[in-house]
Amino acid sequence: MFEHPDYQGHETVLFGHDPESGLRAVIAIHNSARGPGLGGLRMRDYASEHEALADVLRLSRGMSYKNAMAGLPHGGGKAVILGDPETLRTPSLMRAMGRLVESLGGRYITAQDSGVRVEDLRQLAQTTAHVTGLKASRGPDGEERTGDPSPATAVGVYHGIRACLEAVFGSGDPAGRSIAIQGVGSVGLRLAQALHAAGARLLVADIHAGRAQDAADRFGAEVLPVASIHAAQVDVFAPCALGGAINGDTIDGLRARIVAGAANNQLARPEFGAALRNAGILYAPDYVINAGGVIDVAAQLGNYRPQQVHARVVAIADTLRTIFREATSNGLQPEQVADRLAEQRMRQPSA
Ligand code: NAD
């Protein structure tokens, strides 16, 4: 276990089994120096237990970096339930998961992730107090937010893209800029809406053809094939689908000056960061630019003030500006600067 390639200094890994409801779950807490581990609960039909363990360990470590960079008083944690959400999701399973979360006495706070709906979290909340992302709140844009972190994530990515444009072109104004969005789901579609309103020219691709067409109808976006969206001749390529968008098959085809999007783990391997820099492409570290959602759900643990939360999400752009400046002056890649800053913060308790 301790030799597992993804273990990497985890504080706690808890395996839970509840035969009555069929629950099989793992909770991982990577680092809690800044505060209780905060990160979503994912439910997925993993190919193997090994795959589930690797997933939860990588994700909880990623949350330590994301939460530290977002300045949150939280460490990194994550939980997974093993099983197909479509067939295994039951109220009793969620209540059993809640008991497992509760057994950690607040050292891990859970929230929504893929395969888990707000209704599931409500069941889970019957047996634990350590859950967030359930409150209905209204953002400064007037949009109601019930647990779904994607509106806040999209706001952060939009402002992050502006910081990238500023660094590369001297102006952060998206008007007249061309932006290729890979995946127009919960985050990508909202991002498209904001960029369109700001006057950007959009190109989109989605494996669900209807979603891409929707973006075309609503925002005048040009629909591109899924296989070639990464190679569009644009100012910004915004990965908003799955992880690993920058990989051995796509890296040589990139024509954008900037890679900045919502997806987690955009670099399939760390060395692709150097390849981007060598190609003169500015990369916005994924866990920095996509932290809007966790900033929002963390705020729901206290007295939720929409304007304050919005300001914190917009400030992701300032963090990126700092990272880009340091990268330039120290000859580093942006993700290297981000990792260093996050690791520094992870060693210090938050104020
Ligand atoms: P989503 O499932 O709502 O949207 C993803 C979209 O990508 C879907 O429309 C899907 O059809 C499409 N897609 C999948 N594979 C594709 C491919 N190969 N090419 C083109 N399109 C493809 O997910 P989301 O909530 O919008 O999240 C998008 C990404 O951002 C994910 O990687 C997620 O982990 C990450 N993220 C999301 C949030 C959030 O608040 N939702 C926060 C941080 C990070």
Side-chain angles (χ1 to χ4, degrees):
M1 175 65 234
F2 299 105
E3 303 307 317
H4 192 288
D6 297 305
Y7 193 79
Q8 294 179 321
H10 267 76
E11 288 175 10
T12 302
V13 181
L14 177 67
F15 295 83
H17 182 215
D18 177 60
E20 211 167 295
S21 65
L23 178 76
R24 290 188 309 143
V26 190
I27 299 177
I29 302 173
H30 175 255
N31 183 304
S32 60
R34 297 180 61 79
L38 170 64
L41 167 66
R42 176 173 284 194
M43 182 166 182
R44 196 166 147 193
D45 194 9
Y46 289 100
S48 66
E49 290 170 14
H50 182 83
E51 188 190 70
L53 181 61
D55 200 33
V56 74
L57 291 173
R58 278 181 210 150
L59 290 165
S60 69
R61 181 171 182 270
M63 289 309 298
S64 283
Y65 283 76
K66 188 184 291 199
N67 293 343
M69 278 311 285
L72 298 174
H74 290 289
K78 203 88 186 184
V80 296
I81 298 178
L82 289 75
D84 183 355
E86 297 319 313
T87 52
L88 286 183
R89 174 203 321 271
T90 58
S92 77
L93 182 106
M94 290 297 159
R95 287 195 296 272
M97 185 66 208
R99 286 193 293 276
L100 192 67
V101 171
E102 188 64 21
S103 74
L104 287 165
R107 290 180 57 220
Y108 166 67
I109 300 166
T110 200
Q112 193 192 17
D113 200 276
S114 55
V116 172
R117 305 171 306 196
V118 176
E119 301 91 272
D120 302 325
L121 282 192
R122 288 195 211 289
Q123 301 292 341
L124 186 141
Q126 290 181 12
T127 50
T128 182
H130 308 296
V131 48
T132 184
L134 282 169
K135 282 187 191 159
S137 55
R138 205 170 280 282
D141 45 7
E143 186 171 8
E144 185 161 289
R145 296 175 178 158
T146 19
D148 177 9
S150 34
T153 304
V155 169
V157 175
Y158 169 75
H159 287 277
I161 286 177
R162 293 188 63 117
C164 294
L165 290 171
E166 193 182 295
V168 170
F169 299 108
S171 160
D173 188 355
R177 294 286 167 205
S178 50
I179 300 176
I181 306 180
Q182 179 186 48
V184 271
S186 306
V187 180
L189 194 70
R190 287 184 169 89
L191 176 64
Q193 183 172 22
L195 288 167
H196 170 67
R201 186 169 71 82
L202 301 177
L203 300 88
V204 297
D206 199 296
I207 49 166
H208 283 94
R211 293 187 190 162
Q213 192 53 48
D214 186 32
D217 296 342
R218 292 172 61 187
F219 314 126
E222 181 184 339
V223 177
L224 292 188
V226 164
S228 62
I229 181 91
H230 67 279
Q233 184 79 49
V234 287
D235 296 316
V236 183
F237 172 52
C240 296
L242 304 174
I246 310 301
N247 58 48
D249 293 331
T250 58
I251 187 93
D252 292 334
L254 293 173
R255 298 284 170 273
R257 296 287 309 279
I258 294 165
V259 172
N264 284 313
N265 305 323
Q266 290 172 31
L267 305 178
R269 290 202 307 270
E271 56 267 32
F272 291 125
L276 287 178
R277 186 179 64 168
N278 294 340
I281 299 170
L282 181 69
Y283 171 61
D286 42 23
Y287 65 81
V288 180
I289 194 170
N290 73 13
V294 76
I295 292 172
D296 190 84
V297 297
Q300 292 190 28
L301 287 164
N303 185 7
Y304 189 91
R305 297 191 185 90
Q307 300 296 343
Q308 195 182 58
V309 177
H310 183 74
R312 279 194 203 141
V313 174
V314 173
I316 286 173
D318 296 329
T319 308
L320 285 172
R321 285 186 194 102
T322 306
I323 289 170
F324 295 151
R325 263 198 309 274
E326 272 195 40
T328 306
S329 54
N330 297 328
L332 293 169
Q333 291 139 223
E335 74 281 7
Q336 292 175 317
V337 175
D339 284 358
R340 283 186 188 188
L341 284 170
E343 282 160 13
Q344 259 169 28
R345 291 183 183 185
M346 263 183 247
R347 286 193 286 271
Q348 304 152 356
S350 60

